[in-house]
Amino acid sequence: MFDRPQEPIFMPKGDDGNIAFDIPTELLGNRINTDMGIVDRLGASQADEHISVGSIAIPDLSIPQLLSRDQNFSLFIPLHRRAAARLIEIFMGMRNIEDLISMCAACRERVNPYLFNYALSVAILHRPDTRNLQIPPLFESFPDKFVDGAIFGKARQETEIFQSGSRQPLEIPMDYTASDLDIEHRLAYFREDLGINLHHWHWHLVYPFSGPRNLVDKNRRGELFYYMHQQIMARYNFERLCNKLGRVIRFLNWRDPIPEGYFPKLDSLVASRVWPPRHANALLRCNREVDQLRVDIQDCERWRDRMFEAIHLGSIVLPDGKRQNLTEEGGIDILGNIMEASILSPNQNLYGDLHNLIHVLIGLCHDPDARNLETFSTIGDPATAMRDPIFYRLHAFVDDVFQEHKATLPPYETNRLNYNGITVRGVDVVSQGVPRNEFKTFWKKDDVDLSRGIDFTPRGNVFARFTHLQHTEFTYRIQVENNTNSDKIGTVRIFLAPKFDERGVNMVFRDQRLLFIELDKFTTTLKPKTNTIERKSTDSSVTIPFERTFRDLQSNRPSGGTQLEAFNFCGCGWPHHMLIPKGTPEGFSCQLFVMISNYDDDKINQSTEGACADAASYCGIRDKLYPDKRSMGYPFDRVPRSGVNTLQDFLTPNMFVQNVTIRFSGQTFDVQGADITNALT
Ligand code: CUO
């Protein structure tokens, strides 16, 4: 169902000679079904496995079909959202897997391929009978959303000429979207990273903001919207400082021209268009009949002002005129849902749909009234939004609104930070072949398979080779003293931030707290007296391993198979290869912060046995409560108590700060791990 989105699924005649469905004649599927020659060329008749499909009544698809098959699809556009919600409802409503398969087969050629993929992915993730099925990462179905468009012509050539096995991987250059004349291009390795974009797509798939209410209404989802994006901002700003760029400037005045342009060089294989670029100094405006969409900046400004008013008054207005307090625990969750906005927003009439519609406004500003028949640019799709520098300026504004709320909450006094009797005595980072307390980063090449996403080509794998940041794996070694007479349980919280600001001056805590990136969080038992905790970087609670991000691309599985491997699936998670920012060749000075908090105040009573919890910090745990009772971002989510100006001032005995550096070695390693730096120069 997911593979080759444009190719029809093969629907042979049944024993009775009838095709299972009444396929409208205008659809490609029917033409192919009646032309066995074409079917044979596609190799469908030689498929390893055939899945029979039962008859099913085709539901009213008029809403999903509001989107034509060759259009691009964006959840941010309300019309598309309605289409997705209806299709998800249809898939969720199927009584069993057989009916679901039949319904998918019936819908696949009738609706937009992107919409189909999204709705089916959401349904598989949320149906009790399919939740352990692995859905292919979007990269496999739609590689065109992730890599240089130039590669697909080459891929076709390669597959036409060479047999699977003798094909060469196609190299995706590192600098294909811009040159160094654009200083923002220094961050392209981050913005255009495959794993980062997959994570963002996956996060929004796990936390949809519309659709059936039970799919949206997840524990602390509004707060996680805040926290996951806050961490993206912290990571991006950290990365900018490593590249000698200042922190992101908030996108505050939506009437000003946007100085940052972005030219994505992505081709849409399905919509048969290139993704539109945005020139420098574009102005925001959007009134598009075709999308039933009119977004006025005035509306956005009103929503923003009402949000600020609610924050400063400490309560929001409900539809019946009553007020609901923005409490210390729950306020951020409400604000997250209001800002995004999700259908959980308590009053969309008043607070609107700010974040989503600014994505749309920016995404359509190159063709605001659709006179050129262009569709949205990369910021209009969660799978591609993080490629564009303006994404970070928008989210710097979004985060600022959340921080405004956080600034109204009481600071953590030392009694809410300290863990009596527990003292962290020392922290070290150790890594083989790397000096103590140094992180080493470098470039690494890897291959991803494009074949599942390329339609109408001879079968077999065809690989794209890309270059990404990577670090040498390391271990945290933490010395802790338990001065009580009994075992204690603690939550170890590990964060990293730059030590100096843009001017090379020590960071003030007020700013630095917003740059702390979470590296790990785990519970541990502390015996009386001295303890040494060792924790591997690969166990991080924010990341998923490379293989999970890209699935089993290293294995030589037969391509074209429709069977999805059933194992505990969880593709949401920051890509492990981006755990540590790039650093600098001379060594970028950072502060590693380790805190052990009292587990009694952190714990959530639930079993997470068998649940995929690898990246719980940014993704939560599916169908479970968020596994940490504290506010997300604790202890850095509040303005500091009075008298705290530096990180040192902030520390209580259960915390420790180690100065560390990140050294970018400048080396490049090939797919097998051999150093090819010299061969490249
Ligand atoms: Cu993830 Cu603006 O929310 O993209």
Side-chain angles (χ1 to χ4, degrees):
M1 293 298 169
F2 286 101
D3 288 358
R4 299 182 181 77
Q6 296 253 73
E7 247 175 47
I9 47 170
F10 175 56
M11 286 197 279
K13 293 181 175 166
D15 293 341
D16 56 0
N18 293 322
I19 300 171
F21 305 109
D22 171 26
I23 299 175
T25 49
E26 73 275 14
L27 293 178
L28 188 61
N30 199 36
R31 295 215 317 270
I32 288 192
N33 272 312
T34 54
D35 185 342
M36 291 305 288
I38 296 179
V39 170
D40 278 346
R41 192 180 80 78
L42 293 174
S45 58
Q46 291 120 44
D48 297 335
E49 190 184 6
H50 290 96
I51 296 172
S52 40
V53 174
S55 298
I56 199 155
I58 297 180
D60 175 9
L61 291 173
S62 53
I63 296 177
Q65 283 173 340
L66 287 170
L67 193 67
S68 69
R69 278 183 54 82
D70 59 358
Q71 254 180 293
N72 210 341
F73 161 73
S74 168
L75 272 180
F76 292 127
I77 296 178
L79 179 73
H80 297 198
R81 249 182 254 176
R82 282 214 307 282
R86 178 72 193 115
L87 199 56
I88 292 169
E89 225 170 67
I90 292 171
F91 292 152
M92 291 299 290
M94 293 297 104
R95 285 169 310 167
N96 51 41
I97 294 197
E98 288 68 41
D99 284 2
L100 178 65
I101 293 173
S102 304
M103 185 53 77
C104 290
C107 292
R108 193 175 182 273
E109 266 82 61
R110 289 182 156 82
V111 302
N112 178 284
Y114 294 122
L115 167 66
F116 176 84
N117 181 295
Y118 174 74
L120 181 56
S121 302
V122 173
I124 287 179
L125 274 174
H126 292 93
R127 285 179 63 98
D129 53 357
T130 53
R131 51 195 294 274
N132 289 331
L133 273 183
Q134 186 191 20
I135 56 166
L138 191 68
F139 174 77
E140 292 197 350
S141 315
F142 298 112
D144 47 324
K145 290 194 183 208
F146 297 90
V147 296
D148 181 8
I151 203 117
F152 297 102
K154 292 182 198 151
R156 288 226 160 84
Q157 220 172 27
E158 193 76 19
T159 52
E160 292 288 348
I161 299 171
F162 299 101
Q163 292 293 315
S164 183
S166 58
R167 293 174 188 158
Q168 296 282 325
L170 305 162
E171 188 92 26
I172 303 170
M174 278 202 80
D175 295 300
Y176 67 89
T177 49
S179 69
D180 289 338
L181 263 181
D182 181 358
I183 54 167
E184 294 295 325
H185 183 65
R186 288 183 207 166
L187 269 296
Y189 69 90
F190 180 97
R191 285 188 278 104
E192 292 162 4
D193 182 81
L194 276 170
I196 284 184
N197 282 285
L198 278 168
H199 161 69
H200 187 241
W201 163 73
H202 220 119
W203 191 94
H204 282 280
L205 189 69
V206 179
Y207 293 99
F209 54 78
S210 67
R213 194 175 171 96
N214 61 327
L215 302 199
V216 180
D217 196 357
K218 299 203 170 91
N219 179 239
R220 294 168 76 180
R221 57 103 49 221
E223 184 178 8
L224 196 52
F225 172 77
Y226 139 74
Y227 182 58
M228 199 285 287
H229 289 87
Q230 188 278 329
Q231 283 288 293
I232 287 178
M233 289 312 303
R235 287 182 168 275
Y236 190 63
N237 279 325
F238 200 140
E239 215 67 62
R240 289 179 74 86
L241 289 171
C242 293
N243 285 280
K244 302 196 167 45
L245 291 174
R247 278 165 274 182
V248 175
I249 296 168
R250 291 167 298 159
F251 186 37
L252 291 181
N253 191 341
W254 306 323
R255 293 162 195 269
D256 278 353
I258 302 173
E260 295 85 3
Y262 184 63
F263 293 73
K265 316 283 188 296
L266 298 179
D267 292 348
S268 171
L269 295 181
V270 175
S272 308
R273 292 275 188 280
V274 293
W275 282 74
R278 186 184 59 259
H279 291 264
N281 300 316
L283 282 169
L284 297 192
R285 197 159 59 77
C286 177
N287 186 357
R288 292 170 52 107
E289 193 95 9
V290 293
D291 298 315
Q292 299 178 21
L293 194 64
R294 198 185 69 201
V295 187
D296 292 335
I297 292 179
Q298 286 88 340
D299 280 331
C300 296
E301 289 169 339
R302 271 188 289 274
W303 297 332
R304 175 200 61 198
D305 294 346
R306 287 171 189 161
M307 246 179 263
F308 274 116
E309 187 183 71
I311 287 167
H312 296 140
L313 289 171
S315 63
I316 58 160
V317 177
L318 298 171
D320 62 4
K322 296 209 176 88
R323 300 199 75 106
Q324 181 178 2
N325 286 339
L326 294 170
T327 60
E328 212 178 316
E329 271 78 42
I332 187 70
D333 195 44
I334 295 174
L335 280 174
N337 285 318
I338 284 179
M339 166 62 85
E340 195 178 3
S342 82
I343 56 166
L344 302 184
S345 166
N347 194 350
Q348 259 206 45
N349 275 338
L350 191 66
Y351 299 108
D353 191 6
L354 187 57
H355 152 269
N356 289 339
L357 288 185
I358 298 189
H359 268 271
V360 170
L361 258 177
I362 303 173
L364 291 167
C365 69
H366 53 277
D367 194 15
D369 52 14
R371 73 179 65 183
N372 296 304
L373 311 180
E374 286 288 321
T375 185
F376 52 84
S377 61
T378 52
I379 188 136
D381 180 338
T384 52
M386 287 183 69
R387 310 175 81 84
D388 187 337
I390 194 66
F391 172 92
Y392 303 89
R393 295 198 51 210
L394 161 58
H395 273 277
F397 154 73
V398 167
D399 191 56
D400 194 49
V401 176
F402 294 136
Q403 296 303 337
E404 190 80 10
H405 162 67
K406 289 282 185 179
T408 67
L409 305 180
Y412 295 120
E413 296 301 329
T414 49
N415 63 342
R416 294 177 74 184
L417 296 169
N418 199 16
Y419 188 175
N420 282 335
I422 303 299
T423 306
V424 182
R425 291 278 175 216
V427 174
D428 281 309
V429 175
V430 289
S431 178
Q432 215 181 0
V434 181
R436 181 171 286 248
N437 293 322
E438 187 169 300
F439 299 104
K440 177 184 167 183
T441 61
F442 49 87
W443 299 125
K444 170 82 171 67
K445 288 181 186 283
D446 271 297
D447 292 347
V448 284
D449 188 2
L450 298 172
S451 58
R452 284 177 174 229
I454 303 181
D455 304 274
F456 300 103
T457 56
R459 292 289 183 257
N461 304 91
V462 50
F463 288 101
R465 179 158 295 172
F466 69 111
T467 309
H468 60 85
L469 189 65
Q470 184 57 284
H471 57 270
T472 305
E473 298 306 346
F474 55 89
T475 302
Y476 307 99
R477 200 168 284 159
I478 306 166
Q479 311 288 344
V480 190
E481 223 169 81
N482 173 356
N483 300 319
T484 73
N485 297 326
S486 56
D487 282 4
K488 294 283 173 196
I489 304 181
T491 306
V492 183
R493 299 165 189 271
I494 306 179
F495 291 85
L496 184 72
K499 187 170 184 186
F500 303 113
D501 69 8
E502 289 85 346
R503 298 162 300 162
V505 176
N506 272 317
M507 285 250 175
V508 289
F509 185 71
R510 189 177 63 237
D511 292 341
Q512 194 186 26
R513 75 178 181 90
L514 298 173
L515 289 173
F516 268 105
I517 60 172
E518 184 172 339
L519 295 184
D520 205 350
K521 178 162 67 178
F522 58 94
T523 51
T524 190
T525 303
L526 303 161
K527 306 182 299 335
K529 304 221 169 64
T530 310
N531 295 266
T532 300
I533 305 167
E534 297 218 335
R535 172 85 169 179
K536 291 199 184 92
S537 54
T538 44
D539 291 334
S540 166
S541 67
V542 303
T543 63
I544 53 173
F546 187 85
E547 299 70 30
R548 178 90 57 82
T549 296
F550 296 105
R551 210 161 66 143
D552 52 345
L553 53 101
Q554 310 299 353
S555 76
N556 223 1
R557 67 193 151 71
S559 116
T562 50
Q563 193 182 7
L564 302 171
E565 299 98 275
F567 76 102
N568 236 339
F569 154 76
C570 182
C572 184
W574 191 253
H576 188 75
H577 63 266
M578 297 304 284
L579 176 68
I580 300 296
K582 186 178 168 196
T584 55
E586 60 276 16
F588 187 76
S589 296
C590 303
Q591 292 185 295
L592 182 73
F593 169 91
V594 175
M595 169 185 196
I596 302 187
S597 59
N598 187 343
Y599 184 63
D600 288 342
D601 301 328
D602 308 333
K603 74 162 174 272
I604 297 288
N605 285 320
Q606 65 180 353
S607 158
T608 55
E609 191 97 353
C612 177
D614 285 7
S617 290
Y618 291 174
C619 295
I621 307 177
R622 195 149 46 120
D623 302 331
K624 304 278 180 193
L625 303 177
Y626 189 79
D628 180 1
K629 206 195 307 172
R630 307 271 189 176
S631 298
M632 296 181 198
Y634 172 85
F636 296 121
D637 68 310
R638 304 273 178 94
V639 291
R641 61 190 187 272
S642 72
V644 170
N645 297 312
T646 65
L647 183 58
Q648 284 305 325
D649 296 339
F650 180 69
L651 302 185
T652 47
N654 58 328
M655 303 177 186
F656 195 91
V657 172
Q658 176 62 267
N659 286 322
V660 295
T661 53
I662 310 173
R663 195 177 300 277
F664 175 66
S665 75
Q667 291 162 294
T668 304
F669 293 87
D670 72 5
V671 177
Q672 284 76 31
D675 186 348
I676 53 166
T677 320
N678 291 334
L680 293 175
T681 48

